[in-house]
Amino acid sequence: MPEPTKKDETETQSAPPPPEQKTPQDGGTGKDKVWSIGEGAPEESEKRDDSQMSTLFIEKPQSGSVSVGGNITFIAKVEAKDLLRKPNVKWFKGKWMDLASKAGKHLQLKESFERHTKIHTFEMHIIKAKENFAGNYRCEVSYKDKFDSCSFDLEVTESSQAAQSIDIRSAFKRSGEGQEDAGELDFSGLLKRREIKQQEEEPEVDVWELLKNANPSEYEKIAFQYGITDLRGMLKRLKRMRREVKKSAAFAKGLDPAYQVDKGGKVRFMVELADPTVELKWYKNGQEIRPSAKYIFEHKGNQRILFINNCTMADDARYYVTAGDEKCSTELFVRDPPILVTKSLEDTSTYVGERVELSCEVSEENANVKWFRNGVELSDDPHSRYRIKVEGKKHTLIIEEAAKNDNATYSVMTTGGQSEAKLSVDLRPLKISLALEDQTVRLGQEIHLKCEISENVEGKWYKNGQLVEASDRVKLYHKGRIHRFVIASSAVDDEGEYMFVPDAYNINIPCKVHVVDPPKLHLDGLGENNTVTVVAGSKLRLEIPITGEPTPKVVWSRGDKGITDSGRIRAETYPDSSCLVIDAAEREDSGPFRITLKNEAGEDTALINIKVVDVPDPPQAPNVTEVGEDWCVMTWEPPANDGGSPILGYFIERKKKQSSRWMRLNFELIKETTFEPKKMIEGVAYEVRVFAVNAIGISKPSMPSKSFVPLAVTSPPTLLAVDGVTDTSVTMKWRPPDHIGAAGLDGYVVEYCFEGNGFSQGISTDLSEELLEPPFHVEADEWIVANPELTDKTKFTINGLPTGSKILVRVKAVNAAGESEPRYHPQPILVKEVIEPPKIRLPRHLKQTYTRRVGETVNLVIPFQGRPRAKVSWEKNGSPIDKNHINIRNTENDTIIFIRKAERCHSGEYDMKVEVENLVDKATIDIQIVDRPGPPEIVIIDDVWGENVNLSWKPPKDDGNAAITGYTIQKADKKSMEWFTVMEHYHRTSATINELIIGNEYYFRVFAENMCGLSEDATMTKESALIAKDGKVYKYPVYNDFDFTERPMFTQPLVNTFAVAGYNATLNCSVRGNPKPKITWLKNKVIIMNDPRYRMFSNQGVCTLEIRKPSPYDGGTYTCRAVNTLGEAEVECKLEVKGGLSFFRLLMDGVPPHIIDSYMREVQADKTEGK
């Protein structure tokens, strides 16, 4: 079977379905059923209600009727808009018969997909319908979890034509037209136990009549056309079959004249005896047949049956059966499968002279195939212009050089089918390889027209529709496929439309020729380099003469932008000139303007430079490179644009930053770009600006410079002294300069030098003396800077010094004006560490017992001092510490004792000892690790009276290494044994339980409590207490209400605090009082109100004042005041903000100088007081 071809719509065709056979038990006398599909169950169709709305179908197949032998098609459509892949569709007949396995000659299933509408179409074609095709059908479609089905009926009406005789042609055909059911399996036929059909419908054409009436030369053609492979055997056998058969007395019913079966099939011979006792024998070509697996004999009453299984071509023979002296014969024909055309011919179009190949493929190799042209058979004669080529299953008809008369319909025919195609042979079209091109030539130049076509043919030239002949002036050339037209010297009359027309073709190749004169610009009246100068603000009108034929088109442009005939800058064009007009010229108008002339002859272009002169641009903002006490040095860059005229000089102006009045500093132009303003006030911020001047005028002022302040250096630092010495370092300290000045103080530079020549000469012995000059001569390059970056602190350590060396140290103060005079240390300093006695600085919280709970972390840091190389040792209760449980880490300045998870065994006295040579310092730390206590030892009911019970108990043996802080007592009714707490945090070891319910019986239990919490277990009374119904009435004592009122009192005062400028700071204290006191915060005795820089909190008596990003202004004395009806209380502290701004920074921020001086004096006083 040929594979389906892929087209725009996909078509699928399956193999023929197996036929259904009918046995005598089912009524063998009825019509033979060539293809039985079964009957549909009525109850199945009733179950499905087609009236319901379909979930997948957009068009369902409808019921229909067809006559026997007719064709009918059923169509179902499914929309694929919401489907990701093709849905699954099945066709059924009746309840269960899937028609996909029955597709073939009588049934074809097709499917297609329309891409534009996105609709799947499924078709079921029934071809040459038979009566048994009638019944109920069903179409089912499914996609994932969606399902839809539709039932429909087919009615087959009888045809008036019926044939009961034997199809003679089918006995000799090798196609599927004769007795197609023999030897095939049909599942429904096996279920119904039907027998093989032995009769077929009467053929439409009587081959025997054709042969009898035809010319003997046409026998072979008729045999091929109707699939007869053994013509001689057919004639011989038919001659034998036409003999008159005598009536037999032994056989009530004899064999049929002939049987046919497909190769590999099964055939059944049956005779009916008049006398069942007669011996019967079967023969094949005269040889007796014996029972075997291939030959099976069967007796049914008077019937004698022979079955031949798995028929081969060797079984194609004459068979007869003998009964006594009589015999009955028949012919068995075994047919091969038909030769099918698996790949059809295709319509072909070609040109005269091309090679043509028409190909097809058949189902078997080297099969007998015949070719036809318009119904006339083609022979494979060597002299024929048609050649047939066979390659296995592929058959090709070849025409070497196609001619016009080869237009025809060509067909191929096999025993099982045929195919045809149309061949179209046309003339080869003429192609223009090179077309004529339009030309524009200058007067007197050559006109050369050239074209190329695909064929070598003659042609004619035309001008304006008139034929052009060759002459002395006009030359015509033809070489191969190229045609040329040449005029050596063009004239005005040569302008027109030219055309070349090839002979024998209805085609022309046109072009146009123009004869023109190029344009020209006349720039004689312009200056050098075509430059035109204009003063800014005036009007320019520039006229340029032009020539050219035809009149050229004038285009003015500037850069990539064209100039139109309107606007401030515009172009005006006249027949013999063009004008460029600029109204109120501006500096931006300077630059090249391009004028371009164009016509068919060419173009001319020129650049005209327009120069607009103006005042210069303002210079950039000047830079102040150096400042002094009342002067500065300023520099600037010349303006980027001098206005088209050289710069003649500059004017300088200055003003105070807080002022808006500028003052000119020079009245004569300054040629240079640097200037030194003088006579300024120290500490006042100034700004300067510059004007540029050229021949046109004065520019706008530059942007002001950055503000600057004339400043002087500070006085030297004071009180330079040694703070500490080690083997490799010296620490110096000093006090700020006495006079800082308006520039403030940025930091200090520390320098030192080593012992050298003259070191000991003239050294002062008075350590209190402060030196401004070195005590000996030292070269400037011998001083070493100890701190590459300025330090704002008044203490610095010089590291990396050799042990035993002597150094001299000096310190300089630095501000924006530069470095001050140095302050020298009066004596050389010996670099050698001084022994410092050891001293342990035990933290305050470690001077008392240090308590932690079991499981908590112990991490204690104990600082100490002592040099050099202090040695630290630890003991616990007089014994060395086990370092496997307790970690000790020592540094030069402190020691750390660390316990990750504390246990009660870690409790004890820890002795710390610090040794420096022979000097020792000791300290003791008492660490207490506590845990929850054990339960009390015993709980006893001492007495029961009325609704009361008196209990007593003994303290627990294990107090958890902490004092017992109380007890918790619970009671439980004996019936429910649910415990309820009656007392908590009770300190005594006896208690009276009141308000018990009369008639109930109670148990009691007691928990012990320490600082870690309640004991895990409780001790319960062994006996219960019964509250009797009769008893004395207990009179409750009367207590007076406790007076909780209290005047405010601070339980935690404020502490003096240091804050870092720019980082939030908080002040905290705690207060108590009843009624709740009102909290008020004050700064320097002034109430703080509605200031966004302060936030105040009060929670559970804890008062907090948060100062957001403090500055030095926020330093001072802060007071917290608590007031209620009983009185008031106050606490105060001092806040110092470090890292404040310098005088110069405050001045640059615009703070008035008198406020800055007041602030600096206050800061200095606070520092002096703090020291």
XYZ file of all heavy atoms in Angstrom, residues 332 458 1134:
26
model
N -9.146 -25.434 -10.154
C -8.811 -24.527 -9.053
C -7.788 -23.512 -9.555
O -6.733 -23.896 -10.084
C -8.224 -25.296 -7.856
C -7.720 -24.413 -6.712
C -8.856 -23.587 -6.110
C -7.061 -25.288 -5.629
N 17.732 38.559 -33.736
C 17.878 39.902 -34.261
C 16.811 40.808 -33.644
O 15.863 40.336 -33.003
C 17.741 39.893 -35.792
C 18.848 39.127 -36.511
C 20.182 39.839 -36.430
O 20.174 41.068 -36.204
O 21.221 39.172 -36.570
N 26.040 66.009 82.642
C 26.693 66.794 81.614
C 26.897 65.931 80.366
O 27.289 64.770 80.481
C 28.045 67.329 82.101
C 27.903 68.389 83.172
C 29.258 68.972 83.540
C 29.104 70.085 84.585
N 30.420 70.682 84.944
